[in-house]
Amino acid sequence: QSVLTQPPSVSAAPGQKVTISCSGSSSNIGNNYVSWYQQLPGTAPKLLIYENNKRPSGIPDRFSGSKSGTSATLGITGLQTGDEADYYCGTWDSSLSALFGGGTKLTVL
Amino acid sequence: QVQLQESGPGLVKPSGTLSLTCAVSGGSISSSNWWSWVRQPPGKGLEWIGEIYHSGSTNYNPSLKSRVTISVDKSKNQFSLKLSSVTAADTAVYYCASPCSGWYGDYYYYYMDVWGKGTTVTVSS
């Protein structure tokens, strides 16, 4: 059971928009920045979003992030079949440890 | 860009010690970075194991702290993970990663921008 709560799965049709939520507490998300990772099948996670809403070089602007209070959201617009993957949120916790959400499997119907 | 490569035995016996090494290339392990380990059991999510600074300072996941040791070898530009008293629950893909961390305004940022490809470790007799 992860401290950061994500929905197990989300789905949407190609071209549509989807959001993935990540819920935490004041000891983690509430007082720290949030990051998001994409993990394609059989590969290592890849950084998608850092510091709540910043995109590393090479990440398309179809991916966006936001944070409000103790929750964060990843948004993906213009869905493509290549976006099918597991998505994880991450942050730091006051226990001096890093946390990841349980992961959300995105299906592009 | 720094690159990371994990190595170590793919099979460890129950009650034994899991030992992995992460080789750092394209940069110095003595740069202003922490170096971390993350694992992923089959079909499950990511779990942060811990991290080490080049000076030797460490932070560990409280749930694993009693069994984990992370060390750094500057002469070989690598860092290592040891996990003792392993059970089948420690079977996972183990990743080494390079986190970016620090304070920006009132908040702390922590994210992994470089990952190794991962190595599978199975605990079985």
Side-chain angles (χ1 to χ4, degrees):
Chain A
Q1 196 80 351
S2 300
V3 174
L4 303 182
T5 302
Q6 296 181 233
S9 64
V10 296
S11 62
Q16 297 300 303
K17 174 183 177 179
V18 71
T19 60
I20 298 173
S21 61
C22 176
S23 178
S25 69
S26 59
S27 68
N28 40 70
I29 290 178
N31 284 287
N32 296 298
Y33 287 98
V34 176
S35 54
W36 289 91
Y37 305 86
Q38 176 192 61
Q39 187 176 34
L40 297 169
T43 68
K46 174 184 176 182
L47 180 66
L48 272 185
I49 297 289
Y50 65 100
E51 292 176 21
N52 299 341
N53 54 21
K54 297 179 181 177
R55 286 176 285 106
S57 174
I59 301 299
D61 59 7
R62 299 188 299 107
F63 295 90
S64 64
S66 64
K67 181 189 127 173
S68 178
T70 59
S71 295
T73 301
L74 172 70
I76 311 173
T77 59
L79 277 172
Q80 303 173 1
T81 55
D83 296 332
E84 282 206 339
D86 293 324
Y87 292 84
Y88 295 90
C89 59
T91 191
W92 188 251
D93 187 85
S94 59
S95 62
L96 298 184
S97 62
L99 298 175
F100 292 102
T104 299
K105 182 177 182 61
L106 168 63
T107 301
V108 181
L109 303 168
Chain B
Q1 175 88 358
V2 166
Q3 292 184 314
L4 306 175
Q5 178 65 60
E6 307 88 349
S7 62
L11 181 65
V12 182
K13 294 188 186 306
S15 77
T17 297
L18 178 159
S19 297
L20 296 174
T21 295
C22 181
V24 179
S25 59
S28 170
I29 202 164
S30 296
S31 62
S32 300
N33 269 12
W34 288 82
W35 306 94
S36 71
W37 289 95
V38 177
R39 71 179 183 178
Q40 185 171 35
K44 296 188 177 181
L46 304 171
E47 180 179 35
W48 183 79
I49 298 171
E51 62 179 359
I52 189 166
Y53 197 64
H54 61 80
S55 64
S57 297
T58 54
N59 289 311
Y60 295 134
N61 184 324
S63 69
L64 298 171
K65 189 172 184 176
S66 63
R67 299 194 292 130
V68 173
T69 302
I70 298 176
S71 59
V72 65
D73 187 336
K74 295 179 185 179
S75 66
K76 295 183 178 179
N77 218 39
Q78 64 185 33
F79 61 106
S80 299
L81 167 70
K82 289 190 185 297
L83 181 65
S84 63
S85 304
V86 296
T87 68
D90 295 309
T91 293
V93 176
Y94 285 76
Y95 296 99
C96 56
S98 173
C100 289
S101 60
W103 292 95
Y104 186 72
D106 294 333
Y107 301 114
Y108 193 72
Y109 62 88
Y110 188 95
Y111 58 91
M112 315 287 191
D113 66 339
V114 179
W115 295 73
K117 293 183 178 181
T119 187
T120 300
V121 178
T122 302
V123 179
S124 175
S125 56

PDB file of all heavy atoms in Angstrom, chain A residues 82-102:
ATOM      1  N   GLY A  82       1.126   5.043 -28.439  1.00  0.00           N
ATOM      2  CA  GLY A  82       2.446   4.964 -27.821  1.00  0.00           C
ATOM      3  C   GLY A  82       2.498   5.483 -26.394  1.00  0.00           C
ATOM      4  O   GLY A  82       3.508   5.318 -25.715  1.00  0.00           O
ATOM      5  N   ASP A  83       1.412   6.103 -25.947  1.00  0.00           N
ATOM      6  CA  ASP A  83       1.352   6.596 -24.565  1.00  0.00           C
ATOM      7  C   ASP A  83       0.934   5.502 -23.596  1.00  0.00           C
ATOM      8  O   ASP A  83       0.965   5.715 -22.378  1.00  0.00           O
ATOM      9  CB  ASP A  83       0.364   7.765 -24.450  1.00  0.00           C
ATOM     10  CG  ASP A  83       0.787   8.984 -25.241  1.00  0.00           C
ATOM     11  OD1 ASP A  83       2.005   9.179 -25.451  1.00  0.00           O
ATOM     12  OD2 ASP A  83      -0.109   9.746 -25.666  1.00  0.00           O
ATOM     13  N   GLU A  84       0.541   4.343 -24.116  1.00  0.00           N
ATOM     14  CA  GLU A  84       0.157   3.240 -23.232  1.00  0.00           C
ATOM     15  C   GLU A  84       1.357   2.829 -22.391  1.00  0.00           C
ATOM     16  O   GLU A  84       2.394   2.408 -22.903  1.00  0.00           O
ATOM     17  CB  GLU A  84      -0.343   2.040 -24.036  1.00  0.00           C
ATOM     18  CG  GLU A  84      -1.754   2.178 -24.554  1.00  0.00           C
ATOM     19  CD  GLU A  84      -2.427   0.842 -24.780  1.00  0.00           C
ATOM     20  OE1 GLU A  84      -1.710  -0.189 -24.916  1.00  0.00           O
ATOM     21  OE2 GLU A  84      -3.667   0.811 -24.814  1.00  0.00           O
ATOM     22  N   ALA A  85       1.210   2.978 -21.092  1.00  0.00           N
ATOM     23  CA  ALA A  85       2.328   2.758 -20.177  1.00  0.00           C
ATOM     24  C   ALA A  85       1.811   2.832 -18.749  1.00  0.00           C
ATOM     25  O   ALA A  85       0.633   3.105 -18.517  1.00  0.00           O
ATOM     26  CB  ALA A  85       3.409   3.824 -20.384  1.00  0.00           C
ATOM     27  N   ASP A  86       2.708   2.580 -17.814  1.00  0.00           N
ATOM     28  CA  ASP A  86       2.418   2.828 -16.396  1.00  0.00           C
ATOM     29  C   ASP A  86       2.990   4.189 -16.030  1.00  0.00           C
ATOM     30  O   ASP A  86       4.099   4.535 -16.443  1.00  0.00           O
ATOM     31  CB  ASP A  86       3.053   1.737 -15.526  1.00  0.00           C
ATOM     32  CG  ASP A  86       2.421   0.375 -15.754  1.00  0.00           C
ATOM     33  OD1 ASP A  86       1.197   0.323 -15.982  1.00  0.00           O
ATOM     34  OD2 ASP A  86       3.150  -0.626 -15.698  1.00  0.00           O
ATOM     35  N   TYR A  87       2.235   4.940 -15.239  1.00  0.00           N
ATOM     36  CA  TYR A  87       2.646   6.274 -14.834  1.00  0.00           C
ATOM     37  C   TYR A  87       2.725   6.345 -13.304  1.00  0.00           C
ATOM     38  O   TYR A  87       1.828   5.867 -12.612  1.00  0.00           O
ATOM     39  CB  TYR A  87       1.666   7.321 -15.366  1.00  0.00           C
ATOM     40  CG  TYR A  87       1.730   7.442 -16.874  1.00  0.00           C
ATOM     41  CD1 TYR A  87       1.004   6.580 -17.695  1.00  0.00           C
ATOM     42  CD2 TYR A  87       2.538   8.410 -17.485  1.00  0.00           C
ATOM     43  CE1 TYR A  87       1.088   6.661 -19.077  1.00  0.00           C
ATOM     44  CE2 TYR A  87       2.622   8.497 -18.866  1.00  0.00           C
ATOM     45  CZ  TYR A  87       1.901   7.614 -19.648  1.00  0.00           C
ATOM     46  OH  TYR A  87       1.983   7.704 -21.024  1.00  0.00           O
ATOM     47  N   TYR A  88       3.817   6.925 -12.821  1.00  0.00           N
ATOM     48  CA  TYR A  88       4.053   7.018 -11.381  1.00  0.00           C
ATOM     49  C   TYR A  88       4.305   8.459 -10.961  1.00  0.00           C
ATOM     50  O   TYR A  88       5.037   9.188 -11.643  1.00  0.00           O
ATOM     51  CB  TYR A  88       5.281   6.195 -10.976  1.00  0.00           C
ATOM     52  CG  TYR A  88       5.133   4.704 -11.180  1.00  0.00           C
ATOM     53  CD1 TYR A  88       5.493   4.111 -12.387  1.00  0.00           C
ATOM     54  CD2 TYR A  88       4.640   3.891 -10.159  1.00  0.00           C
ATOM     55  CE1 TYR A  88       5.359   2.745 -12.582  1.00  0.00           C
ATOM     56  CE2 TYR A  88       4.505   2.515 -10.348  1.00  0.00           C
ATOM     57  CZ  TYR A  88       4.865   1.958 -11.558  1.00  0.00           C
ATOM     58  OH  TYR A  88       4.730   0.603 -11.739  1.00  0.00           O
ATOM     59  N   CYS A  89       3.712   8.854  -9.844  1.00  0.00           N
ATOM     60  CA  CYS A  89       4.067  10.130  -9.249  1.00  0.00           C
ATOM     61  C   CYS A  89       5.158   9.871  -8.201  1.00  0.00           C
ATOM     62  O   CYS A  89       5.331   8.750  -7.738  1.00  0.00           O
ATOM     63  CB  CYS A  89       2.860  10.812  -8.612  1.00  0.00           C
ATOM     64  SG  CYS A  89       2.034   9.850  -7.310  1.00  0.00           S
ATOM     65  N   GLY A  90       5.892  10.909  -7.866  1.00  0.00           N
ATOM     66  CA  GLY A  90       6.950  10.775  -6.884  1.00  0.00           C
ATOM     67  C   GLY A  90       7.154  12.079  -6.141  1.00  0.00           C
ATOM     68  O   GLY A  90       6.852  13.160  -6.667  1.00  0.00           O
ATOM     69  N   THR A  91       7.652  11.991  -4.931  1.00  0.00           N
ATOM     70  CA  THR A  91       7.954  13.176  -4.145  1.00  0.00           C
ATOM     71  C   THR A  91       8.852  12.791  -2.975  1.00  0.00           C
ATOM     72  O   THR A  91       9.254  11.639  -2.839  1.00  0.00           O
ATOM     73  CB  THR A  91       6.657  13.848  -3.638  1.00  0.00           C
ATOM     74  OG1 THR A  91       6.979  15.134  -3.084  1.00  0.00           O
ATOM     75  CG2 THR A  91       5.989  12.995  -2.555  1.00  0.00           C
ATOM     76  N   TRP A  92       9.201  13.784  -2.168  1.00  0.00           N
ATOM     77  CA  TRP A  92      10.008  13.554  -0.968  1.00  0.00           C
ATOM     78  C   TRP A  92       9.076  13.583   0.244  1.00  0.00           C
ATOM     79  O   TRP A  92       8.003  14.189   0.201  1.00  0.00           O
ATOM     80  CB  TRP A  92      11.070  14.646  -0.850  1.00  0.00           C
ATOM     81  CG  TRP A  92      12.081  14.436   0.221  1.00  0.00           C
ATOM     82  CD1 TRP A  92      12.213  15.126   1.406  1.00  0.00           C
ATOM     83  CD2 TRP A  92      13.136  13.458   0.234  1.00  0.00           C
ATOM     84  NE1 TRP A  92      13.273  14.644   2.121  1.00  0.00           N
ATOM     85  CE2 TRP A  92      13.860  13.618   1.430  1.00  0.00           C
ATOM     86  CE3 TRP A  92      13.534  12.465  -0.663  1.00  0.00           C
ATOM     87  CZ2 TRP A  92      14.966  12.830   1.765  1.00  0.00           C
ATOM     88  CZ3 TRP A  92      14.628  11.687  -0.341  1.00  0.00           C
ATOM     89  CH2 TRP A  92      15.337  11.862   0.853  1.00  0.00           C
ATOM     90  N   ASP A  93       9.483  12.890   1.306  1.00  0.00           N
ATOM     91  CA  ASP A  93       8.661  12.839   2.505  1.00  0.00           C
ATOM     92  C   ASP A  93       9.458  13.344   3.708  1.00  0.00           C
ATOM     93  O   ASP A  93      10.683  13.256   3.732  1.00  0.00           O
ATOM     94  CB  ASP A  93       8.185  11.407   2.755  1.00  0.00           C
ATOM     95  CG  ASP A  93       7.180  11.312   3.882  1.00  0.00           C
ATOM     96  OD1 ASP A  93       5.986  11.511   3.614  1.00  0.00           O
ATOM     97  OD2 ASP A  93       7.609  11.064   5.022  1.00  0.00           O
ATOM     98  N   SER A  94       8.765  13.861   4.711  1.00  0.00           N
ATOM     99  CA  SER A  94       9.434  14.382   5.907  1.00  0.00           C
ATOM    100  C   SER A  94      10.172  13.299   6.687  1.00  0.00           C
ATOM    101  O   SER A  94      10.954  13.623   7.584  1.00  0.00           O
ATOM    102  CB  SER A  94       8.423  15.071   6.808  1.00  0.00           C
ATOM    103  OG  SER A  94       7.413  14.154   7.194  1.00  0.00           O
ATOM    104  N   SER A  95       9.938  12.038   6.357  1.00  0.00           N
ATOM    105  CA  SER A  95      10.679  10.944   7.001  1.00  0.00           C
ATOM    106  C   SER A  95      12.066  10.771   6.375  1.00  0.00           C
ATOM    107  O   SER A  95      12.758   9.800   6.658  1.00  0.00           O
ATOM    108  CB  SER A  95       9.887   9.632   6.856  1.00  0.00           C
ATOM    109  OG  SER A  95       9.745   9.287   5.492  1.00  0.00           O
ATOM    110  N   LEU A  96      12.436  11.733   5.536  1.00  0.00           N
ATOM    111  CA  LEU A  96      13.729  11.720   4.828  1.00  0.00           C
ATOM    112  C   LEU A  96      13.836  10.523   3.896  1.00  0.00           C
ATOM    113  O   LEU A  96      14.854   9.813   3.853  1.00  0.00           O
ATOM    114  CB  LEU A  96      14.903  11.747   5.800  1.00  0.00           C
ATOM    115  CG  LEU A  96      14.993  12.983   6.677  1.00  0.00           C
ATOM    116  CD1 LEU A  96      16.259  12.937   7.530  1.00  0.00           C
ATOM    117  CD2 LEU A  96      14.966  14.260   5.849  1.00  0.00           C
ATOM    118  N   SER A  97      12.766  10.278   3.170  1.00  0.00           N
ATOM    119  CA  SER A  97      12.768   9.226   2.164  1.00  0.00           C
ATOM    120  C   SER A  97      11.943   9.665   0.975  1.00  0.00           C
ATOM    121  O   SER A  97      11.040  10.510   1.093  1.00  0.00           O
ATOM    122  CB  SER A  97      12.227   7.923   2.747  1.00  0.00           C
ATOM    123  OG  SER A  97      10.898   8.074   3.162  1.00  0.00           O
ATOM    124  N   ALA A  98      12.266   9.091  -0.167  1.00  0.00           N
ATOM    125  CA  ALA A  98      11.499   9.370  -1.377  1.00  0.00           C
ATOM    126  C   ALA A  98      10.312   8.425  -1.447  1.00  0.00           C
ATOM    127  O   ALA A  98      10.353   7.308  -0.935  1.00  0.00           O
ATOM    128  CB  ALA A  98      12.385   9.210  -2.606  1.00  0.00           C
ATOM    129  N   LEU A  99       9.267   8.899  -2.083  1.00  0.00           N
ATOM    130  CA  LEU A  99       8.052   8.104  -2.233  1.00  0.00           C
ATOM    131  C   LEU A  99       7.644   8.040  -3.693  1.00  0.00           C
ATOM    132  O   LEU A  99       7.830   9.009  -4.441  1.00  0.00           O
ATOM    133  CB  LEU A  99       6.901   8.731  -1.442  1.00  0.00           C
ATOM    134  CG  LEU A  99       7.033   8.862   0.068  1.00  0.00           C
ATOM    135  CD1 LEU A  99       5.832   9.630   0.605  1.00  0.00           C
ATOM    136  CD2 LEU A  99       7.145   7.505   0.732  1.00  0.00           C
ATOM    137  N   PHE A 100       7.028   6.920  -4.058  1.00  0.00           N
ATOM    138  CA  PHE A 100       6.388   6.783  -5.358  1.00  0.00           C
ATOM    139  C   PHE A 100       4.938   6.381  -5.127  1.00  0.00           C
ATOM    140  O   PHE A 100       4.613   5.705  -4.146  1.00  0.00           O
ATOM    141  CB  PHE A 100       7.059   5.704  -6.202  1.00  0.00           C
ATOM    142  CG  PHE A 100       8.450   6.033  -6.655  1.00  0.00           C
ATOM    143  CD1 PHE A 100       9.549   5.473  -6.020  1.00  0.00           C
ATOM    144  CD2 PHE A 100       8.662   6.881  -7.727  1.00  0.00           C
ATOM    145  CE1 PHE A 100      10.838   5.771  -6.433  1.00  0.00           C
ATOM    146  CE2 PHE A 100       9.945   7.184  -8.152  1.00  0.00           C
ATOM    147  CZ  PHE A 100      11.029   6.631  -7.505  1.00  0.00           C
ATOM    148  N   GLY A 101       4.072   6.796  -6.037  1.00  0.00           N
ATOM    149  CA  GLY A 101       2.709   6.316  -6.012  1.00  0.00           C
ATOM    150  C   GLY A 101       2.666   4.867  -6.463  1.00  0.00           C
ATOM    151  O   GLY A 101       3.664   4.325  -6.958  1.00  0.00           O
ATOM    152  N   GLY A 102       1.511   4.235  -6.301  1.00  0.00           N
ATOM    153  CA  GLY A 102       1.375   2.835  -6.662  1.00  0.00           C
ATOM    154  C   GLY A 102       1.363   2.567  -8.157  1.00  0.00           C
ATOM    155  O   GLY A 102       1.476   1.422  -8.593  1.00  0.00           O
TER     156      GLY A 102
END
